[in-house]
Amino acid sequence: MAAPLAHWAMPEPGAAELARAIAGGRIDARALVRQCLDRYEAQEADIHAWAWFDPDHALAQARALDQGPHRGPLHGIPVGVKDVLDTFDMPTAMGSPIYAGHRPPMDAACVALARAAGALVLGKTVTAEFAGSAPGATVNPHDMRRTPGGSSSGSAAAVATGMVPLAFGTQTGGSVLRPAAFCGVTGFKPSFGRWNRAGVKPYADSLDTVGAIAPALEDIELLDAVMVGRPATLAHDRDVVKTLTPPRIGLCRTHLWDLAAPETTAAIEDASMRLSAAGAQVAELEWPAGFADITYWRPFIASRERALAMTDEWQRHRARLSALLQRGIEHGLAVSSTDYAAALRFTLEQRVRAAALFEHFDVLLTPCTTGIAPLGLESTGDPRFQELWTLLHLPALSLPTHQGPAAMPVAIQLVGPRGGDERLIAMARWVSHQLGHWQHR
Amino acid sequence: MAAPLAHWAMPEPGAAELARAIAGGRIDARALVRQCLDRYEAQEADIHAWAWFDPDHALAQARALDQGPHRGPLHGIPVGVKDVLDTFDMPTAMGSPIYAGHRPPMDAACVALARAAGALVLGKTVTAEFAGSAPGATVNPHDMRRTPGGSSSGSAAAVATGMVPLAFGTQTGGSVLRPAAFCGVTGFKPSFGRWNRAGVKPYADSLDTVGAIAPALEDIELLDAVMVGRPATLAHDRDVVKTLTPPRIGLCRTHLWDLAAPETTAAIEDASMRLSAAGAQVAELEWPAGFADITYWRPFIASRERALAMTDEWQRHRARLSALLQRGIEHGLAVSSTDYAAALRFTLEQRVRAAALFEHFDVLLTPCTTGIAPLGLESTGDPRFQELWTLLHLPALSLPTHQGPAAMPVAIQLVGPRGGDERLIAMARWVSHQLGHWQHR
């Protein structure tokens, strides 16, 4: 069963806190990078969060930032970059031997935007093979026998261990929110298309979304501001919360409720009760007929788009794809164009209907994962609770608000209307303030 | 004024005709490539359709295909590939000095799919800078003082001159249909997302569409089958037409009708009259209120997504971008996140509403370009008639059915419902059979 948290500390200082420290002259980029390097030295041999890491290159970027003009709200902040995102100065191997040492000539748009705002790229984080299901080497920092989740495994583990205060991920099913949840940190998947996707290795074009993992919501708020070009305030979560009114919350069990382990159902029900006690209007959302079919139709879209996007690798490098991915591509190739068209039609309809979920609610409260990170490293866990919202193109956040068996984190998921990302983040700040933040002990 | 055509010949043998010849053993891939090379030798010095062209590499591919097993419906067919699409064995320079000689390690998905079906890549065709508005070196083959249109300039000119029987393009505004129309060949922009976009340099992620340019509709039908993995029949247009019943055609003047030159209005009205006489039900479509605002809102989306997608080039290579593109990016950066969000909301609504356009019609008949290819090479022409349908995510075809001033081609545009691509191509075959095909004299 999931327990409320005894105290509400953040696991590690996040990007926003560090940006305030840099802006206040209390630390510089080199000192920040050295802190990251210390954590890296102490933990990376166990955790395997990084696909590429060069301390000298990180320090050189920090030095240049310290000696140059103030570049923006992320000035001096180290970020981790999932290794399916292109970087002009580091390899992008995508978790596959096919692209070992591959050097693209340009940065992905999200990486370039972060750098333009002053961030430095600390390194490339481990991704499951091509952001899919075949795990990389990363383990769960809170129990090394457990999966960190995937496919943004390295980004979640690196943030959870304080090796980096902010990291990019990508989500096609549940690849940002699930690892964030399993590792006890905060995950954000924006509305589809909100964060520019140029330079991201495509998995399923109609679902792929760039997202982020960070210690706290204020870090997510900061990065979202940089990604969409709105003013970044660096405001602390605790200060913002005072200005917010309690939201109208729709408790959304979905058709998958029976998949939820006791710690997940307990977390949702405890959150619901306490948020209501704190002044939120909480009511059960009636799950619209038809939405249950998302779980049926989604694989037609994801596996077929995957198979087509990887035609070149399939034709020229098949033997170097994992057996799991080979099977996935075979499934995708077996989806008929008729079934795919039917899946797309269904999906477009549900995306239109999803707007009605927010007629009476500001935010939906829903399970994030089936339960705590499972034992074993051969699977990255069940994506079904996350992938519903990815398919609907809605913004979603995971907050590690509870503690489950083995003292592992349990997250809730908050979902907002399409395009309502800023508001969702604000509501989540209020929710997080009420429920607290899981911390490893 | 646009004149009906005196006779109905195709300008050059297309991919389908050549595939039938190969399947029938009447020609082999090497002989086809040699025909292409003859045309190249005779015309390329004037036309400048190619960004990269290596006769030996083309012949080597042809030889391997001739000596190997039958690979699929495009076996032995040379295709041109717009130079914003990645190719593993040729540079991808994107019409920009920044990427001169850039060698990606993989094929774009559409290229890999064509190769898997037996196609060989003849070379990379000239693109306007990053598939935008700053022209490349290509001229209009029918009057070298005139623009070939853009941004898929080289693909259109290469097909129009018989240098290649099929070529890929991309369309974000009107970049496939306009050059096809200006050069007197057939252009196809599928439903958004229908042809996989992996390996395409992003311009505006929510609009970018892979398409094709070919001599005839049977070529488009063949390539669409390969791109979506449905059976390809290699059926001749003239045989298919016999099996079709005349469509219900919505004459759609749009809010831009006043922009149409006399040759365009005459082509639409003549087509409307003759298709009606041939048995089609033709009626005027009432242009829904609100759709006129597409022309207002589209630049917010295109320029902002462009600016964000090109953050890396903007930050690190600004001086090597054309002045035109620099201004475009500046405009995009000046679009507020609020205006962008409003534009996206508007756009999503119109896409839903667009389904109603086809309640009473199978296909819309609408202007393709304002008029014939304008004189001068400094602009690629006006995209407004094409970009409406790109933004709505609807499939659209351009057919060069009429002759305008200076004996230049005039095209009509046919538009179908989202996902109705196969049916649109079939209806277009019927329309094309009635109206004939412009031919250079």
Side-chain angles (χ1 to χ4, degrees):
Chain A
M1 291 284 290
L5 303 167
H7 57 114
W8 297 352
M10 297 296 139
E12 299 292 343
E17 187 172 328
L18 298 173
R20 288 188 293 264
I22 285 200
R26 300 190 292 281
I27 196 169
D28 65 9
R30 271 167 296 186
L32 268 189
V33 167
R34 281 194 210 98
Q35 288 181 8
C36 294
L37 295 180
D38 288 347
R39 295 295 184 93
Y40 175 91
E41 289 299 332
Q43 300 180 86
E44 174 59 7
D46 293 326
I47 305 299
H48 307 295
W50 298 90
W52 191 89
F53 196 95
D54 178 346
D56 293 337
H57 184 59
L59 283 166
Q61 293 175 72
R63 193 177 312 116
L65 287 162
D66 285 338
Q67 291 168 356
H70 182 82
R71 285 175 63 86
L74 290 174
H75 192 91
I77 302 300
V79 301
V81 174
K82 185 179 182 179
D83 205 23
V84 290
L85 299 170
D86 285 346
T87 41
F88 81 86
D89 56 350
M90 301 173 187
T92 301
M94 313 183 202
S96 168
I98 299 168
Y99 294 105
H102 164 53
R103 293 256 177 185
M106 72 284 268
D107 270 350
C110 61
V111 173
L113 283 165
R115 290 204 224 235
L120 63 93
V121 178
L122 191 63
K124 303 299 283 286
T125 59
V126 168
T127 175
E129 182 193 25
F130 295 113
S133 303
T138 313
V139 302
N140 193 304
H142 309 307
D143 182 343
M144 293 181 197
R145 302 163 306 165
R146 293 178 190 273
T147 179
S151 64
S152 307
S153 323
S155 288
V159 168
T161 51
M163 291 196 266
V164 74
L166 185 61
F168 284 110
T170 60
Q171 178 156 317
T172 302
S175 281
V176 169
L177 266 55
R178 188 167 76 263
F182 284 174
C183 293
V185 286
T186 302
F188 177 51
K189 182 207 82 68
S191 295
F192 180 77
R194 181 175 175 87
W195 292 8
N196 196 285
R197 304 191 298 174
V200 178
K201 174 70 175 175
Y203 172 168
D205 195 26
S206 72
L207 302 172
D208 296 340
T209 315
V210 179
I213 296 175
L217 283 159
E218 59 189 23
D219 311 317
I220 298 295
E221 162 65 22
L222 170 59
L223 187 59
D224 182 64
V226 169
M227 290 297 109
V228 307
R230 60 185 173 87
T233 63
L234 290 182
H236 197 293
D237 278 335
R238 68 169 171 256
D239 299 324
V240 172
V241 165
K242 295 173 195 158
T243 69
L244 300 171
T245 52
R248 300 168 305 161
I249 298 174
L251 172 59
C252 180
R253 299 181 199 268
T254 80
H255 60 287
L256 301 170
W257 186 247
D258 288 349
L259 296 176
E263 64 266 26
T264 292
T265 57
I268 296 295
E269 279 160 4
D270 175 72
S272 170
M273 208 170 54
R274 286 160 65 208
L275 294 172
S276 178
Q281 294 175 41
V282 184
E284 190 107 12
L285 174 89
E286 198 180 335
W287 190 229
F291 276 34
D293 294 337
I294 294 172
T295 303
Y296 173 78
W297 283 111
R298 185 194 168 277
F300 289 83
I301 294 174
S303 72
R304 185 181 152 101
E305 292 184 2
R306 159 70 96 185
L308 295 183
M310 296 202 63
T311 303
D312 182 62
E313 290 88 355
W314 183 247
Q315 292 293 329
R316 296 195 301 123
H317 307 290
R318 197 171 308 179
R320 300 170 81 189
L321 302 173
S322 71
L324 190 64
L325 183 50
Q326 290 190 38
R327 280 202 304 280
I329 291 176
E330 278 162 3
H331 285 146
L333 293 173
V335 173
S336 72
S337 58
T338 315
D339 280 348
Y340 176 67
L344 272 191
R345 263 197 310 277
F346 166 81
T347 300
L348 289 172
E349 282 163 19
Q350 306 320 312
R351 284 180 193 141
V352 172
R353 296 176 69 219
L357 296 174
F358 300 93
E359 268 172 17
H360 305 296
F361 300 112
D362 301 308
V363 59
L364 308 185
L365 166 66
T366 189
C368 183
T369 59
T370 51
I372 59 166
L375 285 165
L377 298 171
E378 66 291 339
S379 159
T380 63
D382 188 328
R384 282 175 286 181
F385 277 117
Q386 307 106 56
E387 71 189 18
L388 296 175
W389 314 105
T390 314
L391 181 126
L392 291 172
H393 286 180
L394 303 179
L397 273 160
S398 62
L399 299 180
T401 48
H402 289 75
Q403 180 161 291
M408 292 296 287
V410 177
I412 59 170
Q413 184 171 198
L414 300 176
V415 178
R418 181 161 185 178
D421 300 62
E422 281 181 63
R423 190 116 189 282
L424 171 66
I425 296 168
M427 298 294 103
R429 289 165 102 150
W430 185 88
V431 167
S432 174
H433 186 73
Q434 308 307 324
L435 300 179
H437 195 297
W438 176 88
Q439 191 178 42
H440 184 58
R441 267 173 292 268
Chain B
M1 290 284 293
L5 302 167
H7 58 114
W8 298 352
M10 296 297 138
E12 298 293 341
E17 188 173 328
L18 298 174
R20 287 189 293 263
I22 285 200
R26 299 189 294 280
I27 195 169
D28 66 9
R30 271 169 295 188
L32 269 189
V33 167
R34 280 192 212 101
Q35 287 181 8
C36 294
L37 295 181
D38 287 346
R39 295 296 184 92
Y40 175 90
E41 290 299 332
Q43 300 179 86
E44 174 59 6
D46 292 326
I47 305 298
H48 306 295
W50 299 90
W52 191 89
F53 196 96
D54 178 347
D56 293 336
H57 185 59
L59 283 167
Q61 293 175 71
R63 193 177 311 115
L65 287 162
D66 285 338
Q67 292 168 354
H70 183 82
R71 287 175 62 86
L74 290 176
H75 193 90
I77 302 301
V79 301
V81 174
K82 185 179 182 180
D83 205 23
V84 290
L85 299 170
D86 284 347
T87 41
F88 81 87
D89 56 349
M90 300 172 188
T92 301
M94 313 183 202
S96 167
I98 299 169
Y99 294 106
H102 164 52
R103 292 254 177 186
M106 71 283 267
D107 270 348
C110 61
V111 174
L113 284 165
R115 289 205 225 237
L120 63 92
V121 178
L122 190 65
K124 304 299 284 285
T125 58
V126 168
T127 175
E129 182 191 26
F130 295 113
S133 303
T138 313
V139 301
N140 193 305
H142 308 306
D143 181 344
M144 294 182 197
R145 302 163 305 164
R146 294 177 189 273
T147 177
S151 63
S152 307
S153 322
S155 287
V159 168
T161 50
M163 291 197 266
V164 73
L166 185 60
F168 284 110
T170 60
Q171 177 156 319
T172 302
S175 280
V176 169
L177 266 55
R178 189 168 74 263
F182 284 174
C183 294
V185 285
T186 302
F188 177 51
K189 182 207 82 69
S191 295
F192 181 77
R194 180 175 175 88
W195 292 8
N196 196 284
R197 303 192 298 174
V200 179
K201 174 70 174 173
Y203 171 167
D205 194 25
S206 71
L207 302 173
D208 296 340
T209 313
V210 179
I213 296 175
L217 283 159
E218 58 188 24
D219 311 317
I220 298 296
E221 162 65 22
L222 171 59
L223 187 59
D224 182 64
V226 169
M227 290 297 109
V228 307
R230 58 185 174 87
T233 63
L234 291 182
H236 196 293
D237 278 334
R238 67 169 172 257
D239 299 323
V240 172
V241 166
K242 295 174 196 157
T243 70
L244 299 171
T245 51
R248 299 168 305 162
I249 298 174
L251 171 59
C252 181
R253 300 182 199 266
T254 81
H255 60 286
L256 302 171
W257 186 248
D258 288 348
L259 295 176
E263 64 266 26
T264 292
T265 57
I268 296 295
E269 279 160 5
D270 175 73
S272 172
M273 206 170 54
R274 285 161 64 206
L275 294 172
S276 178
Q281 293 174 41
V282 183
E284 190 108 12
L285 173 88
E286 198 179 338
W287 191 229
F291 276 33
D293 293 337
I294 293 172
T295 303
Y296 173 77
W297 282 110
R298 186 193 167 279
F300 289 82
I301 294 176
S303 72
R304 186 182 152 100
E305 292 184 2
R306 159 71 95 184
L308 295 182
M310 297 202 63
T311 304
D312 182 62
E313 289 87 356
W314 182 247
Q315 292 293 328
R316 297 195 301 122
H317 307 290
R318 195 171 310 179
R320 299 170 81 191
L321 302 173
S322 71
L324 191 64
L325 183 51
Q326 289 190 40
R327 281 201 302 280
I329 291 176
E330 278 163 2
H331 285 147
L333 294 173
V335 174
S336 72
S337 57
T338 315
D339 280 348
Y340 176 66
L344 273 191
R345 261 196 315 276
F346 165 82
T347 299
L348 289 171
E349 282 162 18
Q350 306 321 311
R351 284 180 194 143
V352 172
R353 295 176 69 219
L357 297 174
F358 300 93
E359 269 171 16
H360 305 296
F361 299 112
D362 301 309
V363 60
L364 308 186
L365 165 66
T366 189
C368 182
T369 59
T370 50
I372 60 165
L375 284 165
L377 299 170
E378 67 292 339
S379 158
T380 63
D382 188 329
R384 282 175 287 179
F385 276 118
Q386 308 105 57
E387 71 188 18
L388 295 174
W389 314 105
T390 315
L391 182 127
L392 291 172
H393 287 180
L394 303 180
L397 273 161
S398 61
L399 299 181
T401 47
H402 289 75
Q403 179 162 293
M408 292 295 287
V410 178
I412 59 170
Q413 185 172 194
L414 300 177
V415 179
R418 182 162 182 175
D421 300 60
E422 280 180 63
R423 189 116 190 283
L424 171 65
I425 296 169
M427 297 295 103
R429 289 165 100 150
W430 186 88
V431 168
S432 174
H433 185 72
Q434 308 309 323
L435 300 179
H437 194 298
W438 175 89
Q439 191 178 40
H440 184 58
R441 267 173 293 268

